[in-house]
Amino acid sequence: TYRLNFGNNFRTDKRYFSSIFDAGQTGRAFKDDQTYYDYTLDNIVNYNNTFGKHEVGATLLYGSIKREFNSTFAEARGFSRLTLSYNDLALGTNQFANSDGWNEALLYQMARLNYKFDNKYLVTATVRRDGFSGFAKNNKTAIFPTVALGWILSEEGFMQNMKAIELLKLRVGYGVIGNQTSRYSSIASLTTSAAYVFGDGGTTAFGQQVNRLGNDNLKWERTKGLNIGLDFSLFDGKTQGTLDAYNNDTYDLLFSVAIPSITGFDNITTNLGQINNKGFEASITQHILNKLDFSWSASLVFSANKNKIVTLTGQDANDDGIEDDLISSGLFIGKSISTIYDYLANGVYDLDDTRLPGFPVGSMSVLDQNGDGDITPAGDRVFLG
């Protein structure tokens, strides 16, 4: 079978205003026009067939998405008369205008193969190729393969005498998924508010300057994951549930990294490091009562997750044999990504307390971790949780 999916949205917003009492009763009027458009286009080819105990399915997908936004805002203040309202902003003494616009696009292809044998053994293999306009010119696209295996144990002969078990299915999956960046994070941006004075008493020159660094090597964030799961249904469907355990490693994380201010910038969006996530999830539902028009069920859901930073930049600037943390970005090797690294509070300074330099009465007392009589970021911050 072949299927074509096409959907599109167009929205226009117009907000017009005028009042002789605004802007300090000098009169104010504006026109604010915005338009938004997006479309999604999918081409899907499906094949399904059965050969005895063999069931085969295949899917091919080619699609694209595009989004566009434009806005124009014009305003005037200080009118001698507002008879024409917002239809003649040129009559205003002070006139202002600004505009905005952006667009982004995605392109994707996918191939999937499903295979089932004897209604017991299942295989699903998928490969995707995704592209996004927000990435750098050399890394627009990435490939993400996945494979999943299933075994329906309840269909096996050795399970047929276990009447309480209606369904018991074991699942194992391994694959790679991606995470995309924001639309313009890979390119530099400019500001028009730059000003420079040429010498003492010189005139001020206004111009443009780069206010955000670009990154020509920015690419997709990737997560490689292994998942093992169990689905079950017991006692004629009265008890149902799923159990899942996973181990995921995320590489090339998209992160805004703080950089030395001597560069003229505060941060840059880049790929770095590896984070490991391990966890367990369980969901069990018990159908307690189902009579005529009344039903009652209860569900228990449990989940636990632990993440750890495995590596960051790979650099060892102080040659101590240990990879450096990114302290200014709050990232530490072997710690969670949400680790709190700060001073340890130790009460509030009273009048009779011996205070460290720079701490007045009533301020928070900070514990001097290294006992040097001073509070410094390098010597006295600790991991709080």
Side-chain angles (χ1 to χ4, degrees):
T1 62
Y2 168 75
R3 178 172 176 172
L4 175 68
N5 290 338
F6 178 73
N8 70 126
N9 298 285
F10 177 77
R11 184 182 74 244
T12 178
D13 297 312
K14 296 178 178 292
R15 191 165 67 97
Y16 297 168
F17 171 87
S18 97
S19 171
I20 59 172
F21 304 106
D22 210 331
Q25 298 193 2
T26 64
R28 173 174 173 256
F30 68 75
K31 281 189 172 184
D32 185 9
D33 292 316
Q34 298 182 1
T35 60
Y36 172 81
Y37 176 74
D38 70 56
Y39 75 79
T40 301
L41 176 65
D42 289 333
N43 298 274
I44 305 171
V45 177
N46 277 307
Y47 172 80
N48 293 282
N49 214 334
T50 302
F51 309 93
K53 294 183 177 181
H54 305 273
E55 294 182 34
V56 178
T59 302
L60 298 176
L61 165 68
Y62 188 99
S64 64
I65 296 174
K66 188 171 185 180
R67 308 181 185 102
E68 296 180 346
F69 172 81
N70 285 284
S71 70
T72 302
F73 179 83
E75 179 186 75
R77 301 177 183 180
F79 289 85
S80 58
R81 56 187 301 177
L82 252 178
T83 306
L84 296 177
S85 184
Y86 42 71
N87 291 313
D88 194 351
L89 299 177
L91 295 178
T93 303
N94 302 309
Q95 300 171 19
F96 311 91
N98 61 66
S99 61
D100 191 13
W102 55 261
N103 66 74
E104 61 184 13
L106 298 97
L107 192 66
Y108 47 91
Q109 302 92 41
M110 185 270 289
R112 174 175 294 165
L113 177 65
N114 295 308
Y115 173 72
K116 181 191 291 185
F117 176 71
D118 199 20
N119 202 36
K120 302 177 186 177
Y121 314 108
L122 305 92
V123 178
T124 299
T126 305
V127 59
R128 280 188 65 104
R129 179 178 181 268
D130 287 272
F132 178 56
S133 60
F135 286 105
K137 55 186 177 182
N138 297 327
N139 298 294
K140 296 286 187 190
T141 61
I143 296 176
F144 307 105
T146 61
V147 61
L149 307 176
W151 180 17
I152 304 178
L153 289 86
S154 53
E155 293 294 323
E156 297 288 357
F158 60 82
M159 296 286 292
Q160 297 308 307
N161 293 328
M162 300 181 183
K163 302 302 182 181
I165 300 177
E166 182 181 44
L167 172 68
L168 188 63
K169 178 182 177 182
L170 179 65
R171 297 176 281 104
V172 178
Y174 178 80
V176 183
I177 60 174
N179 186 27
Q180 69 187 52
T181 183
S182 55
R183 64 181 69 94
Y184 294 127
S185 56
S186 68
I187 60 176
S189 65
L190 298 175
T191 176
T192 57
S193 59
Y196 185 81
V197 179
F198 290 92
D200 293 337
T203 58
T204 302
F206 294 92
Q208 297 180 347
Q209 73 177 32
V210 178
N211 66 342
R212 187 183 67 193
L213 286 175
N215 185 353
D216 289 339
N217 297 314
L218 194 67
K219 56 186 176 182
W220 286 79
E221 179 180 299
R222 298 171 296 119
T223 297
K224 298 179 181 179
L226 174 66
N227 183 92
I228 299 176
L230 185 69
D231 302 326
F232 59 88
S233 179
L234 311 174
F235 311 114
D236 295 325
K238 291 183 178 180
T239 303
Q240 298 173 329
T242 61
L243 306 174
D244 282 281
Y246 58 88
N247 186 7
N248 298 332
D249 285 293
T250 302
Y251 301 85
D252 301 324
L253 283 86
L254 294 163
F255 200 85
S256 181
V257 178
I259 57 178
S261 58
I262 194 173
T263 62
F265 303 92
D266 296 325
N267 51 64
I268 183 173
T269 302
T270 188
N271 300 98
L272 59 83
Q274 175 187 346
I275 291 180
N276 176 261
N277 275 275
K278 295 179 181 178
F280 175 77
E281 297 177 353
S283 175
I284 300 176
T285 298
Q286 178 67 39
H287 298 279
I288 302 171
L289 188 63
N290 190 3
K291 297 289 185 180
L292 298 176
D293 57 350
F294 178 78
S295 62
W296 176 25
S297 64
S299 296
L300 173 67
V301 179
F302 172 82
S303 64
N305 177 75
K306 184 177 182 180
N307 66 73
K308 179 179 69 174
I309 297 175
V310 180
T311 182
L312 290 169
T313 62
Q315 297 180 344
D316 180 15
N318 55 6
D319 294 323
D320 62 353
I322 302 175
E323 182 181 348
D324 296 336
D325 298 320
L326 290 177
I327 299 176
S328 58
S329 298
L331 300 176
F332 305 90
I333 305 294
K335 300 292 185 179
S336 166
I337 56 174
S338 57
T339 293
I340 302 171
Y341 183 66
D342 207 340
Y343 302 106
L344 181 61
N346 190 31
V348 177
Y349 279 121
D350 293 326
L351 286 171
D352 299 331
D353 291 337
T354 301
R355 302 189 307 275
L356 293 172
F359 288 84
V361 173
S363 67
M364 184 67 69
S365 171
V366 175
L367 192 63
D368 183 11
Q369 298 288 342
N370 57 9
D372 64 353
D374 195 10
I375 299 297
T376 61
D380 298 298
R381 287 187 295 177
V382 293
F383 294 107
L384 300 178

